[in-house]
Amino acid sequence: MKLLIVEDEKELSKSIVTYLKGENYLCEVAVDFKTALEKTESFDYDCVLLDITLPDGNGLNVLKELKADNKTGGVIIISAKNLIDDRIAGLNLGADDYLAKPFHLSELSARIAAVIRRRRFDGNKVLELNELTFDTLAKTVSVNGKGVDLTRKEYDLFLYLVTNKNRVVSKNAIAEHLSGDEADVFDNFDFIYAHMKNLKKKMVLAGCEDYIKSIYGMGYKFDI
Amino acid sequence: MKLLIVEDEKELSKSIVTYLKGENYLCEVAVDFKTALEKTESFDYDCVLLDITLPDGNGLNVLKELKADNKTGGVIIISAKNLIDDRIAGLNLGADDYLAKPFHLSELSARIAAVIRRRRFDGNKVLELNELTFDTLAKTVSVNGKGVDLTRKEYDLFLYLVTNKNRVVSKNAIAEHLSGDEADVFDNFDFIYAHMKNLKKKMVLAGCEDYIKSIYGMGYKFDI
DNA sequence: TACGAATTTGAAGAGATTCTGAATATTCTG
DNA sequence: CAGAATATTCAGAATCTCTTCAAATTCGTA
């Protein structure tokens, strides 16, 4: 899961990033609207945290643009002014949620999770697929009700495959999703092989049918 | 799917090619406009990535020529200058999309897919033809809803035939479309015969009517 | 019908891709 | 800061695909 934090207060963005990393999100920061739009232009973030009170422009216009693309995932507005006007304007322009500063980081995290769930899973916290249960809130995976211990990367990898079920996902896409920086990793997929092996092993061991198919030369497919 | 990347920065073109190969595109590179025009003259690429700021001429004129031919598939302009003027000029001259450097390769890949879809499938991601379903996003083929496992070349071959349905496609054209290098393969179509046989076998086995007709001395036709 | 040319078919080797287990590096946790 | 857990790299093994080859078949034409 990748987030973009649009915020110019370094202190704040730093603590947000630290906290959210702890929640297993990959974070990027934009300190102004221009950068933010460039970034959203070129990557589909799962959620954007948007401080609408930045010096270089009107945040609500930026929100409008984000939503116009219909490309970005969720958008949560964070704003120092907790004026009702802003709130309403924000929601009308399509923000998925609104959070007034100062806020608790745990609250922010919960809102982010909710927004992502709403967009990706129609608001369902739990995904049931045959013997497999995916709890995106608890971040647990279980087979026939019995939990399976996955590492972070394994969980992320699995979730990404499940989110794209019945579609072939390229190793490029997987690599981008799993690696934090926009690092160029397109010529070494060894780490994918490693995680994939471990994930499959754990799942099969837990009694789950092996739904993950390797498509030679193309990628992987969660086939269910 | 075959692309032409017109770009003089070796580093950049190399990483573009590496990435796009991972997405199952066949790529050729031209380092100047002259070479680019020669290449587009002699082959109909699915999409051309055009850096309009190359030393040997005006990129927009090249774009104009490409579009005048109406031969090339899509054209995506990539440019270091993200000036609005360029953008508008580019789109007016018929570029299908525009991407400012630096960009994420995943973004580029998504745009290419979109342009090709728009041109070849009227923007549809899924192609339904009787019992046959072609999902160009999921990269899957199914018969009566049941998936058929095709290899890369089989998928490419099939897609090419379907894209040209009810038209005879020559083995030359197929060969050019399937082979990566600009190698001259025009005297040995054995590999086409092999792929064609395997493809037909798989499809018939999956319960699909054999829509692929061999036209003696001319080529093949996907007849539906 | 018979001939040469084009296509189909089956099999096999070369080459590329993926898997695997172990070694190393990194991150987390107390 | 040390020890544990996790992530990544590496190299060899296993697997799959692509292409080529040769033999069999089909096709068009004489």
Side-chain angles (χ1 to χ4, degrees):
Chain A
M1 295 288 186
K2 214 158 184 174
L3 312 177
L4 177 65
I5 294 116
V6 186
E7 172 62 63
D8 63 341
E9 292 175 41
K10 294 271 165 62
E11 286 282 315
L12 178 57
S13 65
K14 204 177 146 199
S15 63
I16 291 178
V17 167
T18 307
Y19 187 89
L20 292 178
K21 272 190 178 168
E23 299 290 316
N24 200 21
Y25 291 106
L26 304 170
C27 302
E28 286 181 25
V29 175
V31 294
D32 54 51
F33 292 138
K34 190 167 159 289
T35 317
L37 286 172
E38 277 169 21
K39 279 175 173 286
T40 53
E41 186 83 10
S42 65
F43 192 80
D44 181 14
Y45 295 91
D46 293 280
C47 188
V48 176
L49 311 184
L50 182 65
D51 182 345
I52 50 171
T53 60
L54 260 53
D56 76 319
N58 181 336
L60 292 179
N61 285 341
V62 175
L63 168 62
K64 208 152 124 193
E65 246 183 275
L66 285 182
K67 283 308 184 176
D69 279 4
N70 196 30
K71 215 182 134 298
T72 310
V75 177
I76 297 178
I77 290 182
I78 50 183
S79 161
K81 334 183 215 174
N82 49 359
L83 302 170
I84 292 292
D85 283 350
D86 272 356
R87 178 167 207 152
I88 289 172
L91 292 171
N92 279 349
L93 283 168
D96 297 84
D97 207 343
Y98 178 97
L99 204 52
K101 294 190 208 175
F103 47 77
H104 283 282
L105 290 174
S106 57
E107 173 68 8
L108 173 64
S109 174
R111 302 275 187 106
I112 293 170
V115 164
I116 291 176
R117 263 201 310 278
R118 211 181 306 150
R119 298 188 56 85
R120 299 239 182 226
F121 304 106
D122 302 324
N124 294 325
K125 295 178 180 66
V126 178
L127 216 70
E128 306 231 18
L129 301 160
N130 296 350
E131 73 269 38
L132 194 68
T133 306
F134 229 105
D135 190 328
T136 56
L137 183 63
K139 292 188 181 170
T140 57
V141 172
S142 43
V143 177
N144 294 320
K146 196 167 179 329
V148 186
D149 286 338
L150 299 181
T151 69
R152 259 189 305 188
K153 293 280 176 185
E154 286 160 10
Y155 178 86
D156 278 354
L157 172 58
F158 202 20
L159 180 58
Y160 187 59
L161 291 171
V162 169
T163 307
N164 292 287
K165 72 182 148 83
N166 298 318
R167 269 189 285 185
V168 179
V169 290
S170 71
K171 287 190 290 316
N172 279 332
I174 294 175
E176 263 175 62
H177 215 83
L178 291 188
S179 75
D181 354 291
E182 350 189 347
D184 304 37
V185 279
F186 343 109
D187 55 345
N188 185 359
F189 297 126
D190 283 345
F191 75 105
I192 296 181
Y193 296 141
H195 287 307
M196 192 67 74
K197 173 173 66 92
N198 296 332
L199 170 61
K200 280 179 161 227
K201 194 172 170 183
K202 281 186 186 178
M203 294 311 296
V204 169
L205 210 75
C208 185
E209 191 181 320
D210 190 6
Y211 294 112
I212 303 172
K213 273 211 249 177
S214 165
I215 316 290
Y216 190 96
M218 307 191 87
Y220 294 89
K221 182 164 64 142
F222 183 87
D223 221 349
I224 199 164
Chain B
M1 294 288 185
K2 209 160 183 174
L3 312 177
L4 178 64
I5 293 118
V6 186
E7 171 64 63
D8 62 342
E9 292 175 42
K10 294 269 164 63
E11 286 280 315
L12 179 57
S13 66
K14 202 177 146 201
S15 63
I16 290 178
V17 168
T18 306
Y19 189 91
L20 292 178
K21 273 189 180 170
E23 300 293 322
N24 201 22
Y25 291 107
L26 302 170
C27 301
E28 289 181 21
V29 175
V31 294
D32 54 51
F33 293 137
K34 191 167 158 289
T35 318
L37 286 171
E38 278 168 20
K39 279 174 171 289
T40 53
E41 190 79 13
S42 63
F43 188 76
D44 180 16
Y45 295 92
D46 293 281
C47 188
V48 176
L49 311 183
L50 183 64
D51 181 346
I52 50 171
T53 59
L54 261 52
D56 76 318
N58 182 336
L60 292 179
N61 286 340
V62 175
L63 168 63
K64 210 152 123 192
E65 248 182 273
L66 285 183
K67 282 307 186 177
D69 280 3
N70 196 30
K71 213 178 136 302
T72 310
V75 177
I76 297 178
I77 291 182
I78 50 183
S79 159
K81 333 184 217 173
N82 49 359
L83 303 170
I84 292 291
D85 282 350
D86 272 357
R87 178 168 207 154
I88 289 171
L91 292 172
N92 279 348
L93 284 168
D96 297 84
D97 207 342
Y98 178 97
L99 205 51
K101 294 190 208 175
F103 47 78
H104 280 274
L105 292 172
S106 57
E107 174 66 11
L108 174 63
S109 172
R111 301 274 186 107
I112 293 170
V115 164
I116 292 177
R117 264 201 308 275
R118 212 180 306 148
R119 297 186 55 84
R120 303 241 181 223
F121 307 104
D122 302 325
N124 292 324
K125 296 177 178 67
V126 179
L127 219 69
E128 306 230 20
L129 302 160
N130 297 349
E131 73 269 38
L132 194 66
T133 306
F134 226 106
D135 190 328
T136 55
L137 183 64
K139 292 188 179 162
T140 57
V141 172
S142 42
V143 176
N144 293 319
K146 197 167 177 332
V148 186
D149 288 337
L150 299 182
T151 69
R152 259 189 300 189
K153 293 284 176 184
E154 286 159 11
Y155 178 87
D156 283 351
L157 171 59
F158 201 20
L159 182 57
Y160 187 58
L161 291 171
V162 169
T163 307
N164 293 287
K165 70 179 146 81
N166 299 318
R167 269 186 288 182
V168 178
V169 290
S170 71
K171 286 191 289 314
N172 275 330
I174 294 175
E176 281 185 333
H177 239 266
L178 290 188
S179 73
D181 351 291
E182 355 189 346
D184 305 57
V185 278
F186 321 114
D187 57 343
N188 184 358
F189 297 127
D190 283 345
F191 75 104
I192 297 180
Y193 296 141
H195 288 308
M196 191 67 75
K197 173 177 63 93
N198 295 332
L199 170 61
K200 280 178 160 230
K201 193 172 169 183
K202 281 187 186 178
M203 294 310 296
V204 170
L205 210 76
C208 185
E209 190 182 325
D210 190 7
Y211 295 111
I212 303 171
K213 303 275 187 301
S214 166
I215 315 291
Y216 192 93
M218 309 206 75
Y220 296 89
K221 183 160 67 135
F222 182 87
D223 224 348
I224 198 163

